[in-house]
Structure formats: structure tokens, C-alpha cells
Amino acid sequence: MTTLSKLQNTPMTTPSLLNNKHLLWRAGFGAGINQLDDLKNINSKTLLNDLLKEEVFTYIDYQTPDTDSIDYMNDKSPAEKKKEIQKINRQQNEELNLNFLHKMVTSNKQLREKMAFFWHGHFASRVQNPKFNRQILNVIRKNALGNFRELLFEVSKAPAMLGFLNNQQNKKDHPNENFAREVMELFTMGRGNYTEKDIREGARAFTGWGYDKEGNFLERKKLHDEGSKTFLGKTGNFTGNDVLEIILEQKATSKFITTKIYKFFVNENINEAIIDQLSDNFYQSGYDIKKLMKDIFSSSWFYDKKNIGNRIKSPIELMAGIMRTLPMNIQNPENLIVYQKLLGQMLLYPPNVAGWPNGKSWIDSSTLMLRLQIPQIWSGLRPLDYRPKADDDLDMGLKNSTNTLTKSFKNPNIIIDWAKVEKIFNGKNIEEYLIQNTESLDMNSVKSFSDNSVKMNVINLMSTPEYQLM
């Protein structure tokens, strides 16, 4: 039985702690501290309905002043002014980063933020302009559970993406193919579903697409190639809009997006029959993202044992999950950006246009050790004594000396409300709530390193390899 219709007879109506944990980790960033008490008693269908509820959308912004509105810079030299602008841009990007992470940790609409996190990696861009970063981040968050067509069109016209992929330089007689190539290869159809000629003809259609310094999309008519183009088997005087519409007509687009979502939310080892059915439904719905996610999370195969506890948490998922479970007051939240850097995943700074890799790529000897020690560091039980990798590509304005980075982290400046944690976990088998797959967990060794208090059991469980999986 492989079709969705046959698989909708789900285990969702009977309360299951394991299924609920699985749903909350995949459709969000784990159970919040206030959800733990009811997690054994509520059914997954009720949880999913809550995750899918509509809500008033709130934008992410930054509080630091805009570089355009600072009068005092008029008295500065060009070099001083440039340095000041770079500093303000960096502060605003840090605020956007932390505000996005804060939404992941605190929002009641976990599925929206998890989908936004997915799309943030799918439509990867990296620019220094915080205005453009804010714009594309809010486009992604606003459309995260909406329609993929609208999401694709808005992202494709965002200055962060057009600038990152050089379409500002895409002009008739001198087409730049970078944007057209990545739209097809990474954002919509995937390799093997178009030709090099399609890339060239698509690039011609996108000539003239650009933006002004305020971040407004511009179709610069004088720079557009108005000649006839043949793209994916169709011929006409196509514009960029026409090319995106033709791409969306291809069932390969639905299959590519569905497969990527399946790998991220279900299992990196795909089930072709299930993906074919999901993809067909996604295409027939006109690319309704929320319906696709509901099809996934309400199907019995989603709760199969092979799909639970099989994914390595990305650094952001790991950090957000700990922060949701342990109520904490972070006195210096900017420190969290350095943790992102050390672990290899900084929001707003993907390594390249392909976004972040997943799975085992998150784990190496240095990052695994830090991942296992974060609960102890954040609890004040040990100092941070790690050095960032020598990776200029990810330094991105954090070119502090190693000593400066590590020195400021001897004291994490995090206050955890352990009284609340102890009240919530008192009398519970803590491992059932914190670990997805407890079969390989050796609780005797966990407790041998502990005074058996709730606090130490929580810290030690979060410090196990098993906690790295979701």
C-alpha cells in the first residue's frame, strides 16, 4: 500500500509520546518546555491541526539605525564613513540573524518558522546589505506555507537574490547566465531536466531584471532582449515571468521540490512511490505548500520507526531545540552567532548558492565535541575552549582573533531556570522526552556521571550522541 489515500489511516488519533516528539521535531524545533506536560496525553492530529492554524504574520526587523539616516556621518572622511556603514550593516545583519533564531525558539507557529528555515537554505543568498537580507527573509517567512509559485516569483525578484546571482549585470547582447542556471538547477527542476541551450535562452529572458538601491525590483526595458527565444520546447518573445511560468508547468519542478522536502522532513533515503504520489498531489494543487506538508505529517508512513531519530540535527536545530527545552535568559545573545559560526551554520550566511549540506556533513571531530559539550557550557559547568575553523568563506565579518572569541565565552552569560525544568520533569523518565531513539541509550552510563538530580540528568542526556538525532 503506497498511495496516500491508503496511508491516511494514521496512528494520529491515539496519544503517543514518541509520535508527538517526532512531529514537533520535524514540523518545528522540538517540544517547548510548556508543551512537555501534555505530550503523553494529546494526540498527534490535534498537534498537527494547531501547527497548521493560520495566524497574523509578523515581520522580522532590526532596531539599529539605517545608514541612510545618520546625519553625523556627513562630517567623516570617505574611509571613516565606509567603516561606519560596514559596522552598522554588520549590526543589522546580526539582529536579523538573532531575531530569526528567536522566532524559531519562541513562536507558537513552529511549522511556519521550520518551513522558513527550510526555504532559507533552499533559496540561499548571501549579501552584506541588511535591507536586502531583511526583505528576502520576510518574503520567505511570509510565503513559507503558502503557494510555491508566489514564493518563487517573489524570491526571484528580490534584490538579495538578483544581486547574489549577478542578474543586475544581465543585459541584452551580454547575457549573464548565472541566475537562470541556478533558478533551474537549484530552485525548481534540478539537473537533467533542461539543456545548456535552455539556460542561455532563459538568461536572455531575464535580461533587464534588476533593482534600485532602495531594493525595488526593476524591469529595465532598455536592457531586455526582446528577440524570440526557445525555452523548454516553447518558442516566443519570453520575459522572465514567462520563463518562471513555463518552469512551473513542468512536473519535474514539483518532483524536485517534493523530493527535497521529503529528504529534509522525513528521510534522506527516499521512497519513490510515496514521492511520486506526493509530487502529483502537489502539482495538482497548484503548488500548495501547506497541503503538501499536511499530506506528509498526517500519513502513517511519516511515523514509521525507520523515519524516527534518523536525522542529524543541524546546528540551528540543535541550538533552537535546547533553547526551547531549557527556559533561559541570555544576557549576551550576540554570543549565539559565534556558536553558529563554530558549528558551521550561520543564518543569513549559507556557504554557497546550494545552501547548507545536511546529514553527516554536520559532524566532524571538532564540531561533534562542541555539540556534545554545549549543554554543559550553557549551564556554566565548563568553559568554551574551541577555535573556529580557518574558513574565510564563513568568517563574514567575524574576523576576531581566536583569543578574543574564546575569552568572551569562558562565562556564557546564560541563566537557566532550573527550578522550572525540575518541576516539569519531576517524576518523569527524562530520556523519554529528550531522546528520539532510546534503544541505543545507556542510561546507566548517563546516571554514573550524574548526581541523579533532574538538572544533571537533563544536561547529561543532552550531551549524548543520541540527542544529536531527531
Side-chain angles (χ1 to χ4, degrees):
M1 299 205 306
T2 56
T3 64
L4 290 178
S5 58
K6 292 178 180 176
L7 288 169
Q8 297 297 343
N9 181 19
T10 72
M12 297 187 72
T13 53
T14 303
S16 163
L17 175 61
L18 181 62
N19 288 352
N20 289 342
K21 286 189 303 176
H22 181 53
L23 177 61
L24 290 176
W25 265 116
R26 298 304 178 87
F29 297 89
I33 185 74
N34 296 323
Q35 293 177 288
L36 292 174
D37 261 344
D38 292 330
L39 218 51
K40 264 189 174 175
N41 306 316
I42 197 169
N43 63 56
S44 301
K45 186 175 182 180
T46 302
L47 270 184
L48 179 58
N49 287 339
D50 189 52
L51 287 163
L52 291 166
K53 276 182 186 172
E54 296 291 336
E55 86 285 0
V56 177
F57 174 70
T58 56
Y59 288 87
I60 283 177
D61 208 341
Y62 40 75
Q63 301 302 315
T64 49
D66 194 349
T67 53
D68 294 338
S69 64
I70 301 180
D71 294 331
Y72 72 84
M73 285 204 295
N74 293 332
D75 301 328
K76 295 183 180 290
S77 70
E80 290 175 317
K81 190 180 291 187
K82 182 180 179 182
K83 193 173 181 181
E84 193 70 23
I85 289 173
Q86 288 174 337
K87 177 184 174 185
I88 293 169
N89 285 348
R90 186 168 64 249
Q91 289 173 339
Q92 291 179 344
N93 282 328
E94 286 182 359
E95 281 191 64
L96 286 175
N97 176 309
L98 293 171
N99 287 347
F100 191 17
L101 180 61
H102 182 73
K103 287 281 188 185
M104 296 177 196
V105 174
T106 63
S107 174
N108 291 328
K109 302 307 171 187
Q110 283 283 287
L111 181 54
R112 174 182 293 280
E113 302 307 331
K114 188 59 170 277
M115 286 303 305
F117 177 57
F118 168 78
W119 294 123
H120 180 55
H122 178 77
F123 291 111
S125 65
R126 192 177 73 198
V127 296
Q128 296 297 330
N129 187 318
K131 185 184 292 184
F132 295 175
N133 278 328
R134 176 184 62 181
Q135 187 181 32
I136 196 168
L137 182 57
N138 284 316
V139 161
I140 285 169
R141 292 182 58 254
K142 180 185 71 174
N143 294 289
L145 281 168
N147 186 280
F148 180 73
R149 179 188 178 278
E150 292 174 21
L151 175 60
L152 174 64
F153 268 77
E154 287 197 46
V155 165
S156 297
K157 294 180 180 182
M161 189 60 74
L162 289 169
F164 186 47
L165 296 181
N166 312 115
N167 212 76
Q168 187 81 332
Q169 291 78 46
N170 188 13
K171 305 168 185 178
K172 66 179 178 182
D173 301 327
H174 298 285
N176 185 305
E177 297 175 3
N178 200 18
F179 179 72
R181 181 183 300 276
E182 305 305 1
V183 164
M184 287 185 271
E185 178 181 330
L186 295 175
F187 302 161
T188 57
M189 293 187 291
R191 289 181 182 175
N193 294 299
Y194 55 88
T195 66
E196 286 295 314
K197 184 182 178 187
D198 290 323
I199 292 171
R200 290 192 297 273
E201 298 289 270
R204 290 177 58 212
F206 286 121
T207 50
W209 274 29
Y211 53 89
D212 62 23
K213 67 176 184 177
E214 298 301 320
N216 299 305
F217 172 71
L218 297 175
E219 281 190 271
R220 299 164 295 178
K221 303 286 188 185
K222 291 181 179 179
L223 304 181
H224 177 63
D225 181 341
E226 303 215 9
S228 180
K229 307 159 191 86
T230 300
F231 179 75
L232 294 176
K234 293 193 169 188
T235 300
N237 182 12
F238 297 137
T239 65
N241 287 335
D242 296 324
V243 162
L244 293 181
E245 292 288 9
I246 293 169
I247 287 172
L248 289 165
E249 290 170 6
Q250 313 301 309
K251 288 197 172 182
T253 298
S254 179
K255 178 80 175 281
F256 180 76
I257 298 299
T258 302
T259 302
K260 192 165 182 180
I261 284 175
Y262 185 94
K263 286 182 173 181
F264 187 90
F265 289 92
V266 183
N267 198 316
E268 287 191 27
N269 298 315
I270 63 173
N271 182 311
E272 286 284 0
I274 289 175
I275 284 178
D276 284 344
Q277 184 69 55
L278 286 170
S279 172
D280 188 55
N281 288 357
F282 188 40
Y283 187 83
Q284 296 301 329
S285 75
Y287 292 98
D288 184 332
I289 300 168
K290 182 187 281 190
K291 183 181 182 302
L292 172 61
M293 302 318 294
K294 185 176 182 180
D295 282 349
I296 290 171
F297 295 136
S298 61
S299 293
S300 62
W301 47 257
F302 175 72
Y303 301 92
D304 283 351
K305 187 176 179 180
K306 66 182 178 183
N307 294 326
I308 298 178
N310 70 345
R311 271 200 62 214
I312 296 172
K313 295 170 185 172
S314 73
I316 292 296
E317 288 167 327
L318 178 68
M319 290 171 60
I322 293 173
M323 293 163 74
R324 281 180 61 73
T325 301
L326 302 180
M328 56 180 71
N329 176 16
I330 305 172
Q331 296 172 323
N332 297 311
E334 64 274 12
N335 287 357
L336 296 175
I337 292 177
V338 179
Y339 278 99
Q340 293 175 41
K341 176 177 168 52
L342 292 173
L343 292 170
Q345 187 176 39
M346 282 178 66
L347 296 171
L348 304 183
Y349 296 109
N352 51 56
V353 69
W356 291 279
N358 280 307
K360 292 178 182 176
S361 62
W362 291 126
I363 302 293
D364 62 31
S365 56
S366 70
T367 55
L368 178 58
M369 193 61 69
L370 177 56
R371 290 169 72 112
L372 296 174
Q373 292 182 358
I374 280 180
Q376 300 160 52
I377 297 168
W378 286 8
S379 302
L381 299 181
R382 69 183 306 149
L384 173 68
D385 190 22
Y386 281 84
R387 287 159 170 69
K389 293 180 183 178
D391 184 354
D392 234 16
D393 204 29
L394 282 175
D395 279 348
M396 303 300 289
L398 284 172
K399 293 179 180 175
N400 313 55
S401 72
T402 299
N403 289 337
T404 304
L405 281 175
T406 54
K407 186 177 179 182
S408 62
F409 284 86
K410 297 298 182 185
N411 180 353
N413 293 314
I414 294 174
I415 300 170
I416 296 172
D417 185 352
W418 286 112
K420 183 170 185 177
V421 174
E422 289 179 14
K423 182 179 178 183
I424 293 291
F425 281 114
N426 188 39
K428 293 182 173 71
N429 290 326
I430 301 172
E431 66 273 17
E432 289 184 20
Y433 289 83
L434 295 186
I435 306 297
Q436 291 304 91
N437 185 353
T438 58
E439 290 180 9
S440 62
L441 185 69
D442 183 357
M443 275 305 292
N444 289 327
S445 75
V446 169
K447 290 181 177 179
S448 69
F449 290 102
S450 165
D451 58 13
N452 215 22
S453 66
V454 167
K455 173 181 176 178
M456 289 311 302
N457 278 333
V458 167
I459 291 170
N460 288 340
L461 281 164
M462 285 183 166
S463 303
T464 60
E466 285 80 3
Y467 186 75
Q468 304 298 312
L469 300 171
M470 68 178 194

